[in-house]
Amino acid sequence: MLIKFWNAFVKITAYPVQKAVFRTKVCYEDKRAQSRRIKGSAVIVSNHTSVWDYGVYLFVFFFRTLRCQMAEVLFNKKPLGLFLKMMGGIRVDRDARDFSFVAKSQEILEKGGVVEIFPESRLPLKGEERPLPFKPSAAYIALLSGAPIIPVFSNGAYFTKKRARVIIGKPMYARELYDDSLSEKENLAAISEAMREKIISLEKMLYEQAK
């Protein structure tokens, strides 16, 4: 309850500022299939352009509390770590063999919540192909929970003269992509790649719509 209250407070007070700074334009693959309003549990997956992706998505999906998986390095910074904890951030210790974030994500989804994941797990370096290969945890969580995957692409145009542009794709279902002839590891790799390819297709779609 406190997390929802704090999210609402932050969104209401920061709304005018983000409106002026990001000027986010939201596009859709099919608005009837998936709009900004999310009903029930869902796993949002997106490309990763900067730490500001999370801030932008807070307002794109204004009426839902996004429980975002975040790297341990962010939680180790004060007072940022405290703020993210109050917002309901899910800590992911990337260099430790600690998979408690999976159980936490599953718990949130079972209660009808929304989990946001950046499956690249880090920001791409200069010269690297984008998006980076997706880590399998997002596919595993979606498969385990049965929650729909909502793919989202952002152009990352934050704090520039250009408008930030985001496109929301139609939901995907990990269980529908599961192939019984493959091992679980192979399935997770295939589902992860399917999500990545969807993000790439949304990028192309966004730029076509912007013409």
Side-chain angles (χ1 to χ4, degrees):
M1 184 61 71
L2 286 176
I3 290 174
K4 288 186 177 181
F5 173 81
W6 182 245
N7 268 264
F9 174 78
V10 169
K11 288 178 180 180
I12 292 170
T13 55
Y15 187 84
V17 176
Q18 67 84 30
K19 191 73 173 175
V21 172
F22 298 123
R23 298 178 295 123
T24 308
K25 179 176 176 58
V26 182
C27 303
Y28 307 90
E29 180 182 12
D30 183 346
K31 192 174 182 179
R32 291 171 297 180
Q34 183 59 61
S35 67
R36 297 170 68 170
R37 291 184 177 271
I38 302 174
K39 298 179 180 179
S41 62
V43 178
I44 295 175
V45 296
S46 172
N47 63 309
H48 202 13
T49 69
S50 81
V51 295
W52 292 103
D53 293 328
Y54 169 63
V56 169
Y57 290 164
L58 283 178
F59 297 95
V60 170
F61 300 101
F62 189 87
F63 295 102
R64 293 304 302 269
T65 299
L66 304 186
R67 304 293 299 275
C68 185
Q69 291 184 5
M70 302 172 178
E72 75 293 333
V73 64
L74 298 176
F75 286 94
N76 293 337
K77 296 180 179 180
K78 298 179 180 180
L80 177 61
L82 177 61
F83 172 77
L84 296 178
K85 186 176 180 179
M86 293 173 68
M87 292 294 286
I90 303 169
R91 180 179 176 127
V92 180
D93 289 295
R94 295 170 297 177
D95 296 327
R97 302 193 67 82
D98 179 6
F99 300 102
S100 59
F101 70 94
V102 173
K104 183 63 178 176
S105 298
Q106 179 66 7
E107 179 186 345
I108 292 167
L109 292 168
E110 287 177 352
K111 294 179 179 178
V114 178
V115 173
E116 180 182 23
I117 304 175
F118 298 101
E120 293 168 89
S121 83
R122 66 172 176 84
L123 295 172
L125 301 176
K126 186 176 180 180
E128 287 186 312
E129 182 182 3
R130 302 187 182 204
L132 297 172
F134 282 10
K135 301 295 184 182
S137 58
Y140 180 74
I141 290 167
L143 192 61
L144 196 65
S145 67
I149 301 163
I150 300 177
V152 183
F153 174 83
S154 171
N155 68 352
Y158 314 140
F159 304 100
T160 70
K161 293 181 179 179
K162 296 181 179 180
R163 293 185 66 178
R165 290 180 179 269
V166 169
I167 183 167
I168 301 171
K170 293 188 291 186
M172 304 169 64
Y173 293 87
R175 291 178 181 176
E176 292 181 359
L177 298 172
Y178 197 90
D179 185 343
D180 290 327
S181 68
L182 302 177
S183 68
E184 182 178 69
K185 183 177 180 180
E186 290 171 329
N187 267 295
L188 291 177
I191 295 168
S192 297
E193 183 58 25
M195 291 191 296
R196 182 176 178 274
E197 289 298 324
K198 185 65 176 183
I199 296 296
I200 292 171
S201 71
L202 288 176
E203 178 183 10
K204 295 176 181 177
M205 197 177 301
L206 180 65
Y207 289 120
E208 283 297 319
Q209 292 184 15
K211 288 181 179 179

